[in-house]
Amino acid sequence: MTEDTGRARPRVVIIGGGFGGLTAARTLRNAPVEVTLLDRTNHHVFQPLLYQVATAQLAPSDITAPIRFLMRGQKNATVLLAEATQIEPERRVVCVDGEPGEVPYDFLIVATGARHSYFGHDDWEPLAPGLKSIGDAVEVRRRFLLAFEEAEKTDDPVERQAYQTFVIVGGGATGVELAGVMPEIAKNALRADFRRIDTRNTRVILLEGGPRLIPTFPQSLADRAKRDLEKLGVEVRLNCLVTRIEPDAVYAGDERIPTRTVFWAAGNAASPLARSLGVPLDRVGRVPVEKDLSVPGRPEVFVVGDLATLTQENGKPVPWVAQGAIQGGRRAAQNIECDLRGRPRRPFRYWDKGNMAVLGRARALAEIGRFRFTGFVAWLMWLGLHIVYLVGFRNRLSVLLQWAYAYFTYQRGVRLISDPVPRMPDETAVPGPPSVKTGP
Amino acid sequence: MTEDTGRARPRVVIIGGGFGGLTAARTLRNAPVEVTLLDRTNHHVFQPLLYQVATAQLAPSDITAPIRFLMRGQKNATVLLAEATQIEPERRVVCVDGEPGEVPYDFLIVATGARHSYFGHDDWEPLAPGLKSIGDAVEVRRRFLLAFEEAEKTDDPVERQAYQTFVIVGGGATGVELAGVMPEIAKNALRADFRRIDTRNTRVILLEGGPRLIPTFPQSLADRAKRDLEKLGVEVRLNCLVTRIEPDAVYAGDERIPTRTVFWAAGNAASPLARSLGVPLDRVGRVPVEKDLSVPGRPEVFVVGDLATLTQENGKPVPWVAQGAIQGGRRAAQNIECDLRGRPRRPFRYWDKGNMAVLGRARALAEIGRFRFTGFVAWLMWLGLHIVYLVGFRNRLSVLLQWAYAYFTYQRGVRLISDPVPRMPDETAVPGPPSVKTGP
């Protein structure tokens, strides 16, 4: 059943079905190549909306689409659900777990992205989950919702306040968006649901190690973000380094903040797959790539998205955002086509389409070229752009429906804790996710 | 913050937020009582649509709603997220895991339902998951979708066919609905997505131990169901007992059916909580209740829904369906109100509103009083009724949207495998669900 063309066509293997990998695969749709798109999950995630899954506004299926479904019409492409464990650039194969064991390539595009970096404190990860995958988002959602349940149960006022205190580490876009939405949910959506706790007493604390929020934005918008967050009730602390995380507290410098729920939105660590490329990596494990996005000394291997690092002509690195991955994926694929047609490769130039971040309910910041927008106008722009960029007609409709519902009712539709309480021993045989307590 | 009325009001504790428990709690909304509704999950599940979550048509959040949210307007009710581990009828307390440890009651309504029974073969459960909770449905969905992925990967035609063979054990409504939808998904929704396998070669086998399908329906509709399923491509085998389940095969009598994916829709085992009531139970662990739904010798304890068994005047048991639980919950609550007003209790009479089951795409069976409907008309009735009965405005809109999408595109919108491939050791720190392989 395999469409066998006698291996005349070069094999392009793409690792990762995120923005970079998916764009690369689609760019090659008419190229005389055989594309294999590898991912360890079956779905593409629209990462900019992950924080909305984490805060129970959208369902996981609203911001995901099966990679196989997205690629169904592309006859020169095969999708493989498998985890790439190793790249062997000398032999030009990618090793995967399970069948088929090895996937040989003529060209390789690595687009596996990044995970959070805990700056040498990997033991913090179980206490402070990050927000990179659907699994992460569901875990954050579970801890966020469960904290209110535990607060409602306890009779100890100190413990209750600790359950009603949420600490977010990292003041980039993810941290700001996550922090901005939490007070509103506590004060509006959840207020009438509880009998013993007053959800208006919820504290949301945003800790940023640097001197300002959202470093990819201009200073004026960062100041505005801080003011807007503070108006929403978020306690923003700048120049504030986390020194320790325990099950019932975070240490900001010397101060102990009692909390049962910490979320991590600071720092990136590149996917460990990069190590097998055999080239020097940067401090956080990224691959410094050539101007054409290829790996130094390996013209047939490209790295795009959060796993790559490249300095632009203005001296700044290409930012690690969705647009960087999308444009990089497209350029890498085009450079493969250049090779096939005997044309010279073209260097990657990042086109800054602007920056956006949402602040709570119906408010946002946007920077597009020389223009800056704030408040409701920026939010409408954000909304329109995200609907347009969201993959798939069904998802767009469903997301619009959920947003309209949240906007008009102040409610959150997806307040689902999938498996909060450990099951009884005689009912555990159907495997479910492990029940990890938010506290000790 | 607790609304303390000096404990003058009788305390009604309800265990279980399914159809029975939720209806009981709502029936008591104006009664001079303090209601505590206990559930080990935070959500009510609309069980009749679980099979649509299992087959990727609806998202878990489409058919669930937070119990707390549903009860928010009822000032005499408190919701507690906790698992009842034991009932001590002498002391009139319910023991729960975690705080508050014990919940005292003056009246108790037990509505914890049933799990599947494996007829003494509990070791089959990991190999053949059932379909009672959202966790179950997500697990069935995962195995169903993953089987096609594994079939696509393997080069062995025998193994490939085993991955493309789905066996459903049990020919009740759940088994019939699950079986009916699978061939259509394989043949339409998934066909263009795969390159190596032909999804039209998918086998769906429905095994029923008794002489007919859907025993709660009249014989003529059972015959129709069998014919309709066979037209859809389901292999229906009656009088066929499962003797053994292995990771790569099911034994139907002496015949070995190679398969990697078995789903269990046969038999009920009542919730083990019933044992602590200290009364004799029936063969599957149900509580035989009095005509007023109370436990013999314990007039302050009621049992409703799938956990109770009661013979109607026509000699048949009250059926273990949603309507039985809803009507039972209402009657138990009303009988508590009768006690409070010094009126005699009234016996429970089940009003049979009819029976419905969906067969594949846009086809159903319905029995309403003396009338029987089949095909598209029955499906439209089914659709209307389920939308009306579904809890919550947001869910109704979202479900209608998903159904319209599936109807017009032949697609399934929620083909999400949350965590299919085991993560690399250095990325496992965020706890995710365990990756259970469908095969050995």
Side-chain angles (χ1 to χ4, degrees):
Chain A
M1 271 165 284
T2 311
E3 206 180 304
D4 200 333
T5 51
R7 282 279 168 252
R9 294 174 151 213
R11 295 158 300 185
V12 179
V13 173
I14 301 170
I15 313 179
F19 286 119
L22 195 64
T23 307
R26 287 175 159 185
T27 304
L28 291 167
R29 65 187 170 279
N30 296 317
V33 294
E34 276 183 30
V35 176
T36 301
L37 181 52
L38 255 173
D39 199 290
R40 62 179 179 184
T41 76
N42 80 326
H43 51 273
H44 170 75
V45 181
F46 191 75
Q47 284 206 15
L49 291 177
L50 263 183
Y51 85 97
Q52 296 215 352
V53 173
T55 51
Q57 185 159 342
L58 297 178
S61 52
D62 288 333
I63 65 161
T64 55
I67 295 169
R68 215 172 260 302
F69 177 66
L70 298 175
M71 298 299 296
R72 70 201 318 240
Q74 188 168 331
K75 292 297 170 203
N76 70 349
T78 305
V79 175
L80 183 61
L81 175 66
E83 172 137 16
T85 54
Q86 181 92 9
I87 299 164
E88 295 191 16
E90 296 294 337
R91 294 175 52 223
R92 296 195 179 180
V93 295
V94 176
C95 304
V96 299
D97 61 334
E99 294 190 67
E102 290 185 353
V103 184
Y105 63 80
D106 299 303
F107 293 97
L108 176 66
I109 300 177
V110 189
T112 48
R115 293 279 306 164
H116 289 289
S117 163
Y118 289 83
F119 306 123
H121 293 279
D122 285 351
D123 52 312
W124 291 353
E125 188 164 1
L127 301 172
L131 196 57
K132 289 279 186 192
S133 70
I134 285 292
D136 294 346
V138 170
E139 178 62 19
V140 169
R141 181 180 76 185
R142 200 179 70 81
R143 293 185 187 209
F144 179 61
L145 297 175
L146 216 44
F148 292 97
E149 297 289 340
E150 295 295 333
E152 174 87 349
K153 279 194 217 175
T154 185
D155 284 320
D156 179 342
V158 176
E159 197 176 310
R160 176 174 293 167
Q161 187 58 60
Y163 276 120
Q164 283 191 260
T165 301
F166 300 94
V167 176
I168 295 149
V169 183
T174 300
V176 162
E177 291 187 316
L178 205 54
V181 79
M182 285 185 173
E184 194 248 307
I185 294 176
K187 284 165 197 174
N188 294 316
L190 299 180
R191 193 172 150 199
D193 289 17
F194 291 88
R195 296 288 179 266
R196 305 177 73 203
I197 60 170
D198 186 342
T199 59
R200 287 171 300 180
N201 295 335
T202 300
R203 285 178 74 191
V204 178
I205 303 169
L206 180 62
L207 306 179
E208 164 58 41
R212 50 167 288 188
L213 298 177
I214 39 175
T216 50
F217 287 71
Q219 179 73 45
S220 65
L221 287 183
D223 294 341
R224 171 70 184 246
K226 184 165 182 288
R227 278 202 309 278
D228 280 359
L229 284 175
E230 283 167 347
K231 258 185 234 158
L232 290 166
V234 178
E235 301 169 35
V236 180
R237 305 202 192 164
L238 303 177
N239 298 307
C240 182
L241 283 173
V242 170
T243 51
R244 201 163 150 195
I245 302 181
E246 292 175 350
D248 57 357
V250 166
Y251 290 79
D254 292 334
E255 190 199 356
R256 181 178 186 277
I257 305 171
T259 175
R260 300 287 187 148
T261 322
V262 185
F263 301 122
W264 194 262
N268 278 317
S271 154
L273 200 62
R275 287 196 291 265
S276 61
L277 285 171
V279 292
L281 307 178
D282 80 354
R283 192 178 46 85
V284 298
R286 289 196 174 92
V287 183
V289 290
E290 305 281 359
K291 294 260 176 275
D292 63 356
L293 298 176
S294 70
V295 173
R298 300 265 174 220
E300 76 282 8
V301 180
F302 297 85
V303 181
V304 302
D306 286 2
L307 187 61
T309 182
L310 176 65
T311 305
Q312 300 177 79
E313 279 158 14
N314 63 8
K316 288 188 187 169
V318 175
W320 296 282
V321 294
Q323 275 300 327
I326 291 170
Q327 296 175 25
R330 191 177 302 128
R331 174 55 60 211
Q334 286 167 342
N335 278 342
I336 291 175
E337 288 188 288
C338 287
D339 280 14
L340 298 177
R341 291 180 188 164
R343 295 191 196 152
R345 290 183 179 184
R346 292 176 56 195
F348 176 53
R349 274 198 192 88
Y350 174 65
W351 179 38
D352 189 354
K353 290 193 176 179
N355 250 322
M356 286 186 160
V358 175
L359 292 164
R361 178 185 156 77
R363 209 181 289 182
L365 300 174
E367 179 210 8
I368 296 168
R370 289 176 302 118
F371 301 102
R372 284 154 200 194
F373 305 89
T374 55
F376 188 70
V377 172
W379 181 72
L380 282 182
M381 292 169 57
W382 174 90
L383 193 148
L385 260 177
H386 280 73
I387 285 291
V388 168
Y389 271 97
L390 188 61
V391 164
F393 167 76
R394 191 198 68 92
N395 287 3
R396 279 181 203 135
L397 255 180
S398 182
V399 165
L400 268 183
L401 172 68
Q402 316 289 355
W403 284 351
Y405 173 80
Y407 184 79
F408 290 111
T409 66
Y410 284 81
Q411 281 303 325
R412 290 297 182 276
V414 193
R415 281 167 42 199
L416 177 65
I417 307 177
S418 302
D419 196 35
V421 181
R423 290 182 181 169
M424 295 292 287
D426 49 349
E427 294 176 71
T428 48
V430 173
S435 289
V436 181
K437 290 272 177 192
T438 47
Chain B
M1 273 164 284
T2 311
E3 206 180 305
D4 199 332
T5 52
R7 281 279 168 252
R9 293 174 151 211
R11 295 158 301 186
V12 179
V13 174
I14 301 169
I15 314 178
F19 286 119
L22 194 64
T23 307
R26 286 175 158 185
T27 304
L28 291 167
R29 65 187 169 280
N30 297 317
V33 294
E34 275 183 31
V35 176
T36 301
L37 180 53
L38 256 173
D39 200 289
R40 63 180 178 184
T41 76
N42 80 328
H43 52 272
H44 168 76
V45 181
F46 191 75
Q47 284 205 15
L49 292 177
L50 264 182
Y51 85 96
Q52 296 213 351
V53 173
T55 50
Q57 185 159 342
L58 296 178
S61 53
D62 288 334
I63 65 160
T64 56
I67 295 170
R68 216 171 261 300
F69 177 67
L70 298 175
M71 299 299 295
R72 69 200 320 237
Q74 187 168 331
K75 292 298 171 202
N76 71 348
T78 305
V79 175
L80 183 62
L81 175 66
E83 172 137 16
T85 54
Q86 180 91 8
I87 298 165
E88 296 190 16
E90 295 295 336
R91 293 175 54 221
R92 297 198 179 180
V93 296
V94 177
C95 304
V96 299
D97 63 334
E99 294 192 70
E102 289 184 354
V103 184
Y105 63 80
D106 299 303
F107 293 98
L108 176 66
I109 300 176
V110 189
T112 47
R115 293 279 307 164
H116 290 288
S117 164
Y118 289 84
F119 306 122
H121 293 278
D122 286 351
D123 53 311
W124 291 353
E125 188 163 2
L127 301 171
L131 196 56
K132 290 278 186 193
S133 71
I134 285 291
D136 293 346
V138 171
E139 178 61 20
V140 168
R141 181 180 78 186
R142 200 180 69 81
R143 292 187 187 206
F144 179 61
L145 297 175
L146 217 44
F148 291 97
E149 297 290 340
E150 295 295 334
E152 174 88 349
K153 280 193 216 175
T154 185
D155 284 322
D156 178 343
V158 176
E159 197 175 311
R160 176 174 292 169
Q161 187 59 57
Y163 276 119
Q164 282 191 262
T165 301
F166 300 93
V167 176
I168 295 149
V169 184
T174 300
V176 163
E177 292 187 317
L178 206 53
V181 78
M182 285 185 173
E184 194 247 308
I185 294 177
K187 284 165 196 173
N188 293 318
L190 299 180
R191 192 173 153 199
D193 288 17
F194 291 88
R195 296 288 179 266
R196 306 177 72 203
I197 59 170
D198 186 342
T199 59
R200 288 171 300 180
N201 294 336
T202 301
R203 285 177 75 190
V204 178
I205 304 170
L206 180 61
L207 305 180
E208 165 58 40
R212 50 168 288 188
L213 297 177
I214 39 176
T216 50
F217 285 71
Q219 180 71 47
S220 66
L221 287 184
D223 294 342
R224 172 71 184 248
K226 183 164 182 290
R227 278 203 309 278
D228 279 1
L229 284 176
E230 284 167 348
K231 258 185 235 162
L232 290 166
V234 178
E235 301 170 36
V236 181
R237 305 204 192 162
L238 303 177
N239 298 306
C240 181
L241 284 173
V242 169
T243 51
R244 201 163 150 193
I245 302 180
E246 292 174 351
D248 57 357
V250 166
Y251 290 79
D254 292 335
E255 189 198 357
R256 182 179 187 277
I257 306 172
T259 173
R260 300 287 187 149
T261 322
V262 185
F263 301 120
W264 193 262
N268 278 317
S271 153
L273 200 62
R275 287 196 291 264
S276 60
L277 285 171
V279 293
L281 307 178
D282 80 352
R283 193 177 44 86
V284 298
R286 289 197 174 94
V287 183
V289 290
E290 304 283 358
K291 294 259 176 276
D292 64 355
L293 298 176
S294 69
V295 174
R298 299 266 173 218
E300 76 282 8
V301 180
F302 298 85
V303 181
V304 302
D306 286 1
L307 186 62
T309 180
L310 175 65
T311 305
Q312 299 177 82
E313 279 158 14
N314 63 9
K316 287 187 187 169
V318 175
W320 296 283
V321 294
Q323 275 300 327
I326 290 171
Q327 296 175 25
R330 191 178 299 129
R331 173 56 60 211
Q334 286 168 342
N335 279 341
I336 291 175
E337 288 189 287
C338 287
D339 281 15
L340 298 177
R341 292 179 187 165
R343 293 190 197 154
R345 290 183 178 183
R346 291 176 56 194
F348 176 55
R349 277 204 188 84
Y350 174 65
W351 179 37
D352 189 354
K353 290 193 173 175
N355 251 321
M356 286 185 160
V358 175
L359 293 164
R361 178 185 156 77
R363 208 181 288 183
L365 300 175
E367 180 210 8
I368 296 168
R370 289 175 303 119
F371 302 101
R372 286 156 197 193
F373 305 88
T374 55
F376 188 69
V377 172
W379 182 72
L380 283 182
M381 293 169 57
W382 173 91
L383 193 147
L385 260 177
H386 279 72
I387 285 291
V388 168
Y389 271 98
L390 187 62
V391 165
F393 168 75
R394 191 198 68 91
N395 288 2
R396 280 182 202 133
L397 255 180
S398 183
V399 166
L400 268 183
L401 172 67
Q402 315 290 354
W403 284 350
Y405 174 80
Y407 184 79
F408 290 110
T409 65
Y410 286 81
Q411 280 302 326
R412 290 298 182 276
V414 194
R415 281 167 43 200
L416 177 65
I417 306 176
S418 301
D419 197 34
V421 181
R423 289 182 183 168
M424 294 293 285
D426 49 350
E427 293 176 73
T428 48
V430 173
S435 289
V436 181
K437 289 272 177 191
T438 48

